[in-house]
Amino acid sequence: MSATSEQHLSGRQPKAVQSALQVLEEVARRGAGVTAKEVARASGIPPATTYRLLNILVAEGYLVRMPDLHGFALGQKVGGLVGGAAAPPTVCHAARTTLNDLRSTIRFGVHLVLYGATSIRVADSDPDHPFTSAPLITRYLHASAIGRLHLAEQHDWRTAWPEARLRAATDLTTTAPIAIDALLRDVRNRGYASQRGELRVDSACLAVPVWSHTRALVAAIALSAPVERADALEPLVGEVRACADLLGPLVS
Amino acid sequence: MSRRQRLGLILSDSPLLGLHRRQLGFLEVLAQSVAAVAPSAAAVTIPGIVIGLAGGAAIWAFLAASVIVILVGYCVTQFARRMASASGLYSYAAKALGVPAAFTTGWSLMIGYAGAAMASALGAGIYLGSLAGTLGLEHPHSQLTLAVCVLLVVMVAAALMVRGIQLSARVSLALEVVSVALVLAILVTLMLSVDDASSDTLVVRPGFDNVTLGVLLAVTSFVGFESSGTLGAEARRPFRVVPRALLWTPVALAGLYLVVVGVQTSLFDGQPASLLDGGSPVADLARLQKQDVLSFLLDLGIFSSWFACLMGSTNALVRVLFSMGREGVCPPWFGRTHRRFGTPYVAIAVTVPVIAAVPLVVAHLRASLMDVFVDLLTLSAYGYLVSYGLVCLAAPIFLRKLGELTPAPVVVGAAAATSIVFLVCWTIMSFGFAHDAFAVVYLVLMLLGWARLGFLRWRKPGVLAEVGLYDEPLASDMLPVINLPDQP
């Protein structure tokens, strides 16, 4: 292909660009793990075209094919598109220092996530134990401590997470709606959420909320540990809560 | 599928950690594919043999072979667009056909690479000796000279390969450009200067059997083109660059070979028929025409091509071994990488002495060096063709498993696999096993592989879950966002 023909948009190419953007939008909307077939069905673009567009977007780094090779997720390059606005949000230096102080006393992964209207973003991932569960939590929100904090804040959790989505990630995942009711009541009473082996058989996590001055859930500090050391997480709640109180004014 | 994937876990480090990730550009990846084919060495030998078999139909044989190989390339890109691998067809087959077939594909492919590397080491050694002889340095054909030349060639290649994939790819690229240019220039010169001898000396009456064998031989002049699939982890934009190299290499080679076949058909027309029995008809023709400078330059070009092919085939071979080492299918030390250079140096250090020793030992046993060449390349061709056939079958199955199947890959996969099976079976039925001993050697090597598989299944079944390891996307490749469903 010559340089001029590459720069020149021919008759059908605007349509191709529109379709590519539509595919990108569909993956963004449905979240990590959406399959090629689902994208084709939702967008109404012919399957063969959808598959080709998905592969192009993966090749360019805008999408990532998940390790199971079936699903897709947004790639890092999407973050770069808007000058970092969609990239990992940066937290202020004071918040980062506070987190690092906590990390120096705790031997587990310590992450800061921010709650938004349409997504939960990882604002500060532990450098020693990188946060790798975003696609998994997107699929199994109810099985994660981070997701349970969010659901516990809803007037009725079913509006945020339909019962049809209560699928099991592992053999231990709580999926009965009544059990979820009880579990979220417990989260509200205790002031933190936790799970062990419900998202992945080999890990446990615990999330402590960060409140704004109007007492809205704005962020959470999440700890992750190997499942066999899950018992060591709860005794840390006091220390983590103290850090969360410090972070409140810094992130809201 | 591996244990990690079944948990849906995203890794923070690549399972191929240690290789220098994401550094090769398109030309370097293309160089890998081209080098492993050794196009100029193939262009001065295989067309001559096919012309001898099929006469004027040789060009059709090459055209048919080109179509078949491009179809195979299309099947391979279905995988290369979707997974970045360091073991090429082996990991591709693993995602579609299950462990035994994947292992068969990988093992057979390794026989292909190893055979090609050994033939290349021998070829580069012979031509180095011949070049030295022309320069009046030593007697070119004594066994000792050959051994020294082969060892020298192999050691230099090993040093380049350990030093870095980028360096060896760039050297290969330069060598290939030089050698293809030399071969083309020489053919043109010969065509302009050859004096027409008596006509009708070369009479070939191509039958269907001869043309089929010609197509099969022509296909073997493309093998190795799939080897850029082993650079998935090291390529800068693997899903763009690797498929492009896999498609463009056979297309460009087809162009080269068709020109060369056309030129050679007219060149050999009117030359004594015995010319085509020698194995390197172009060089012999140059000598016949008393073109000493031309024959020296041709030797130089072919030496470059063999040397690049030695590196190309070995680089691919050691990456398959490296991946198997990481999986546990091979001893884990095959999976070690050099801390600074990011190359699988242990695998290189283990395979290179074998690559040098086998052709020298076989050369000692066989009457003529030409026989050794034919033996090694036949063995290698068996290896390549079996893995091609399997991967063409695998492509539509892979896409079906992913839920991304469209009609084209089914048609192409079936056509490519059928053509390969037909070519191999028809040739065996019409001609028998051309080199019985080596068909046996191939089967024995495959049995050794299957024995290894059986041992693993018996003693270390956990290892087999890791078969098909590839460069998975990492947490750092994705936006760390948890999407929430739309609220009504």
Side-chain angles (χ1 to χ4, degrees):
Chain A
M1 213 185 285
S2 73
T4 46
S5 76
E6 258 180 43
Q7 283 157 13
H8 188 80
L9 277 180
S10 74
R12 282 176 53 203
Q13 279 167 321
K15 181 80 188 120
V17 176
Q18 284 166 348
S19 303
L21 290 172
Q22 207 183 336
V23 166
L24 195 60
E25 236 173 76
E26 207 56 53
V27 176
R29 208 166 61 82
R30 303 201 147 221
V34 61
T35 66
K37 254 193 185 137
E38 287 165 359
V39 173
R41 209 175 301 132
S43 61
I45 302 170
T49 314
T50 308
Y51 306 157
R52 192 182 310 157
L53 290 172
L54 282 167
N55 283 329
I56 294 174
L57 290 168
V58 169
E60 299 299 322
Y62 290 101
L63 293 181
V64 171
R65 197 178 268 274
M66 305 275 288
D68 63 1
L69 295 172
H70 293 77
F72 295 86
L74 290 184
Q76 277 290 5
K77 216 168 176 184
V78 170
L81 272 185
V82 272
T90 44
V91 285
C92 67
H93 183 69
R96 211 174 279 271
T97 314
T98 313
L99 270 177
N100 282 337
D101 289 346
L102 183 65
R103 279 182 191 136
S104 64
T105 61
I106 290 180
R107 293 194 302 161
F108 302 117
V110 177
H111 316 283
L112 179 69
V113 298
L114 299 182
Y115 290 89
T118 57
S119 65
I120 304 169
R121 291 178 294 165
V122 181
D124 200 77
S125 167
D126 195 313
D128 297 329
H129 312 269
F131 188 88
T132 59
S133 305
L136 208 55
I137 299 178
T138 300
R139 300 222 120 181
Y140 306 102
L141 195 67
H142 57 284
S144 70
I146 291 169
R148 283 171 184 176
L149 277 187
H150 171 72
L151 295 180
E153 275 308 286
Q154 312 298 316
H155 178 64
D156 177 11
W157 59 268
R158 289 169 183 83
T159 58
W161 195 252
E163 283 185 14
R165 300 198 66 160
L166 296 177
R167 289 183 300 252
T170 72
D171 294 341
L172 300 174
T173 312
T174 312
T175 52
I178 300 174
I180 298 278
D181 277 329
L183 200 145
L184 295 180
R185 213 175 303 125
D186 200 33
V187 168
R188 281 188 287 268
N189 292 339
R190 286 188 302 175
Y192 67 88
S194 63
Q195 65 81 19
R196 56 173 76 182
E198 293 191 56
L199 191 63
R200 293 179 193 166
V201 282
D202 60 350
S203 75
C205 66
L206 183 146
V208 175
V210 175
W211 304 107
S212 72
H213 63 283
T214 56
R215 207 164 165 78
L217 177 67
V218 286
I221 298 174
L223 307 187
S224 58
V227 75
E228 57 274 14
R229 306 199 31 212
D231 290 334
L233 285 175
E234 303 225 347
L236 298 170
V237 167
E239 196 180 338
V240 177
R241 189 169 284 147
C243 178
D245 291 342
L246 285 175
L247 283 176
L250 297 175
V251 296
S252 55
Chain B
M1 296 240 164
S2 81
R3 209 162 357 101
R4 282 186 297 263
Q5 285 164 37
R6 271 191 269 112
L7 284 171
L9 199 142
I10 312 279
L11 303 174
S12 50
D13 275 323
S14 167
L16 306 177
L17 188 76
L19 294 178
H20 281 325
R21 254 182 129 221
R22 311 271 177 267
Q23 57 154 357
L24 300 180
F26 173 63
L27 281 180
E28 288 151 345
V29 174
L30 181 72
Q32 167 62 43
S33 266
V34 175
V37 175
S40 18
V44 296
T45 44
I46 297 180
I49 302 170
V50 176
I51 293 168
L53 278 167
I59 193 123
W60 297 107
F62 267 89
L63 202 60
S66 307
V67 171
I68 293 171
V69 175
I70 290 169
L71 295 183
V72 175
Y74 174 85
C75 292
V76 179
T77 57
Q78 299 305 318
F79 296 93
R81 278 186 214 293
R82 292 170 171 86
M83 50 192 283
S85 148
S87 56
L89 307 193
Y90 168 56
S91 57
Y92 298 163
K95 298 294 172 217
L97 300 176
V99 173
F103 191 83
T104 306
T105 310
W107 198 263
S108 190
L109 187 66
M110 285 207 292
I111 295 175
Y113 290 142
M118 288 167 187
S120 307
L122 184 65
I126 293 173
Y127 279 91
L128 184 64
S130 153
L131 287 170
T134 319
L135 294 174
L137 288 180
E138 250 188 273
H139 189 269
H141 284 302
S142 81
Q143 294 253 355
L144 184 66
T145 318
L146 180 65
V148 171
C149 288
V150 167
L151 288 178
L152 193 65
V153 160
V154 163
M155 269 154 50
V156 173
L160 289 171
M161 287 186 292
V162 170
R163 181 60 186 76
I165 182 67
Q166 196 151 26
L167 178 68
S168 53
R170 283 179 181 173
V171 171
S172 304
L173 185 65
L175 289 177
E176 282 307 334
V177 169
V178 169
S179 71
V180 170
L182 275 176
V183 165
L184 281 178
I186 286 161
L187 279 174
V188 171
T189 318
L190 274 177
M191 194 164 77
L192 297 177
S193 68
V194 134
D195 16 291
D196 258 327
S198 59
S199 52
D200 298 333
T201 28
L202 176 66
V203 183
V204 183
R205 297 190 179 283
F208 183 72
D209 291 348
N210 275 1
V211 178
T212 315
L213 180 59
V215 176
L216 184 66
L217 285 172
V219 168
T220 63
S221 65
F222 289 87
V223 294
F225 82 96
E226 79 303 320
S227 66
S228 53
T230 60
L231 297 184
E234 289 152 296
R236 205 173 295 138
R237 292 179 164 202
F239 301 116
R240 191 158 85 169
V241 160
V242 176
R244 209 185 275 178
L246 288 170
L247 282 178
W248 279 105
T249 307
V251 171
L253 290 178
L256 173 73
Y257 291 151
L258 290 176
V259 169
V260 167
V261 172
V263 171
Q264 290 189 24
T265 310
S266 64
L267 262 183
F268 296 135
D269 196 23
Q271 295 299 324
S274 61
L275 193 61
L276 294 175
D277 300 332
S280 60
V282 178
D284 294 344
L285 182 63
R287 259 171 227 124
L288 203 66
Q289 297 290 325
K290 306 204 170 45
Q291 302 267 19
D292 286 340
V293 180
L294 277 195
S295 96
F296 177 78
L297 286 178
L298 190 64
D299 283 355
L300 191 66
I302 299 174
F303 165 75
S304 310
S305 197
W306 281 130
F307 186 77
C309 183
L310 168 63
M311 286 200 295
S313 309
T314 313
N315 267 331
L317 173 67
V318 296
R319 277 164 181 72
V320 180
L321 278 171
F322 160 84
S323 300
M324 288 184 165
R326 284 287 164 96
E327 293 163 357
V329 168
C330 281
W333 35 265
F334 276 111
R336 261 182 234 157
T337 49
H338 195 281
R339 202 179 304 158
R340 252 181 70 213
F341 306 141
T343 47
Y345 73 104
V346 179
I348 296 174
V350 172
T351 47
V352 156
V354 181
I355 287 169
V358 171
L360 287 177
V361 171
V362 180
H364 196 69
L365 301 173
R366 296 285 277 184
S368 86
L369 287 176
M370 198 58 211
D371 289 343
V372 186
F373 253 125
V374 173
D375 289 347
L376 288 171
L377 289 176
T378 310
L379 182 67
S380 164
Y382 279 119
Y384 280 116
L385 290 174
V386 168
S387 58
Y388 286 1
L390 283 167
V391 92
C392 290
L393 281 181
I397 298 174
F398 172 70
L399 293 175
R400 209 184 110 81
K401 281 192 172 172
L402 262 53
E404 295 176 35
L405 187 62
T406 49
V410 181
V411 176
V412 173
T418 315
S419 320
I420 289 173
V421 172
F422 168 77
L423 283 179
V424 173
C425 293
W426 190 272
T427 320
I428 290 175
M429 277 175 357
S430 329
F431 295 92
F433 290 96
H435 302 277
D436 289 318
F438 265 64
V440 173
V441 172
Y442 174 76
L443 282 178
V444 168
L445 289 173
M446 288 309 291
L447 282 176
L448 282 177
W450 288 320
R452 172 80 191 158
L453 180 66
F455 170 80
L456 287 172
R457 177 148 287 181
W458 175 44
R459 295 299 295 270
K460 298 178 183 171
V463 162
L464 298 180
E466 297 288 327
V467 163
L469 210 65
Y470 70 102
D471 191 45
E472 295 174 24
L474 307 181
S476 58
D477 295 330
M478 303 183 191
L479 263 192
V481 171
I482 298 156
N483 289 62
L484 298 174
D486 296 338
Q487 291 202 25

